[in-house]
Amino acid sequence: MPRNLRVKNSTALIALMGGLLSLTTQASQAEISDGIIKIGILNDQSGPYSDLSGQGSVEAARLAIEEFGGTVAGAKVELVVGDHQNKADVGATKAREWFDREGVDAIADFSNSSVGLAVQGLAADRKKITLVAAASNAFTGASCSPYSTQWIYNSYSNGHGLANMLVKRGFDSWYLMTVDYAFGHAFSDDIRKTVMAAGKEVLGEVRFPLNSPDLSSYLIQAQGSRAEVVVAASAGSDMANTVKQAAEFGITPNQTLAAPAVFITDVHSMGLAQAQGLQFLTAFYWDRTDASREWANKFYERRGAMPTMTQAGVYSAVRHYLEAISASNSDDADVVAKKMRELPVNDMFIQGGSIREDGQVMHDMYLVEVKKPSDSEKPWDYYNVIDSVSASEAFQPLADSLCPLVNK
């Protein structure tokens, strides 16, 4: 072959290889659709749930993003924030705007089930990811979505799970103080079923209106029942009022007070003198492990408060979402959702966790009791961790799931 022909062929081969390399690089970059990963934190920024989520969840998400250096798979990660005002229509409108106009890829938190369910349905239609930190079982039940995961707790884990643990610890008789709307009913139903299935007694139940400032008449009935456990099946100010007024009536020295939905900010607000002895399940306590302490102290430097389980869960959810993008080199929702379910969940919030096909994030829960003031040795030193509850015990069996994605 003439030398000049060999040179031409070599040049052509080099050009071809360069072109193929360029196409490969472009294809790799094209996996991130618009060159930006945009995550929304949609929660209560100013109302009754703002302490347990609010700006604290925003900061938790930032900490997760910072662990990746602000980029993943070569794309910049951006955070946007919205206040749903605990209104489903407001939350859905904001989510629609984010999805359709602003290119948001995933939304995390919610902290309100009605808002979360509205957005989860919208996100499924648009093939967007939702990372849920709200309590309804419907997120992984009849309303489940292949693009959604529920991270922290639900009415089954904190209703059934709490009752199951206390029954095992020898409590035989129960009385339910239930806030009269869907949230309270869901928890009281799960508790009642669990207690009765164990052959124990529910001696009575009283239901009271949402945001009731004076619970004295209801507490007198609970006290008169002589039940070993009085359950405050409520949250927020209703739960706090129940705990405070139970202490004033002298109920808690003689009867154990339990509640299915308690956050460390609630205990901080009530104070140990009134909250002491309260028992509940939590997915996270900042002072439980070296890793949780290290992360919580970073959070505290920014917020001046220790993180709630919701805020810690938002960190974990955002971190795992970014890990899935990094592992798959894609922000396509089908690809990322599949990868999220394939990868184990390991961080300061969850150790050895996994995501089921119905979207339930499987992790251990912890039975805790609020300390006496004399037992607290430092700021935010509020809980004694009494026992752990395995994921398989805490969450509804997959065989009982109403999720249509589950193969039974």
Side-chain angles (χ1 to χ4, degrees), residues 345-401:
V345 186
N346 284 300
D347 52 44
M348 67 82 206
F349 177 73
I350 297 174
Q351 296 80 50
S354 61
I355 302 176
R356 293 193 317 201
E357 58 198 274
D358 61 351
Q360 179 63 61
V361 179
M362 300 295 287
H363 58 81
D364 294 348
M365 301 286 288
Y366 304 96
L367 178 65
V368 300
E369 182 177 51
V370 177
K371 290 183 174 183
K372 298 176 182 178
S374 58
D375 292 336
S376 179
E377 298 178 351
K378 56 190 174 185
W380 296 87
D381 176 22
Y382 293 161
Y383 300 169
N384 283 316
V385 178
I386 300 172
D387 208 345
S388 62
V389 186
S390 69
S392 60
E393 284 186 284
F395 295 98
Q396 184 180 44
L398 195 58
D400 296 338
S401 175

Side-chain angles (χ1 to χ4, degrees), residues 92-113:
T93 298
K94 175 57 70 174
R96 188 176 293 108
E97 177 186 327
W98 281 354
F99 291 148
D100 296 348
R101 299 180 187 177
E102 299 186 27
V104 168
D105 300 287
I107 301 179
D109 196 349
F110 305 110
S111 300
N112 178 299
S113 290

Side-chain angles (χ1 to χ4, degrees), residues 286 292-302 306-307:
W286 73 271
S292 62
R293 278 188 287 275
E294 181 181 356
W295 184 85
N297 285 325
K298 291 179 185 177
F299 181 93
Y300 185 86
E301 288 174 5
R302 302 185 183 203
M306 285 302 178

Side-chain angles (χ1 to χ4, degrees), residues 224-247:
S225 74
R226 299 184 182 277
E228 292 176 316
V229 181
V230 175
V231 178
S234 55
S237 60
D238 289 312
M239 184 277 300
N241 283 338
T242 302
V243 174
K244 289 177 183 177
Q245 292 175 36

Side-chain angles (χ1 to χ4, degrees), residues 190-207:
D190 279 329
I191 291 169
R192 184 185 301 103
K193 289 174 185 175
T194 304
V195 170
M196 295 181 71
K200 310 302 180 182
E201 291 183 285
V202 176
L203 299 180
E205 178 180 13
V206 63
R207 294 184 172 182

Side-chain angles (χ1 to χ4, degrees), residues 158-159 162 175-192 205-210 230-236 238-240 242-243 257-262 278:
N158 283 41
L162 175 65
Y175 190 91
L176 306 175
M177 286 189 58
T178 305
V179 61
D180 196 9
Y181 73 108
F183 173 92
H185 300 170
F187 279 114
S188 65
D189 287 348
D190 279 329
I191 291 169
R192 184 185 301 103
E205 178 180 13
V206 63
R207 294 184 172 182
F208 60 89
L210 180 67
V230 175
V231 178
S234 55
D238 289 312
M239 184 277 300
T242 302
V243 174
L257 190 63
V262 182
L278 178 63

Side-chain angles (χ1 to χ4, degrees), residues 12 24 32 63 71 92 174 200 204 207 246 249 258 267 290 304 332 393 397:
T24 301
I32 304 302
L63 284 167
T71 64
W174 299 64
K200 310 302 180 182
R207 294 184 172 182
F249 273 82
V267 176
D290 289 341
D332 179 87
E393 284 186 284

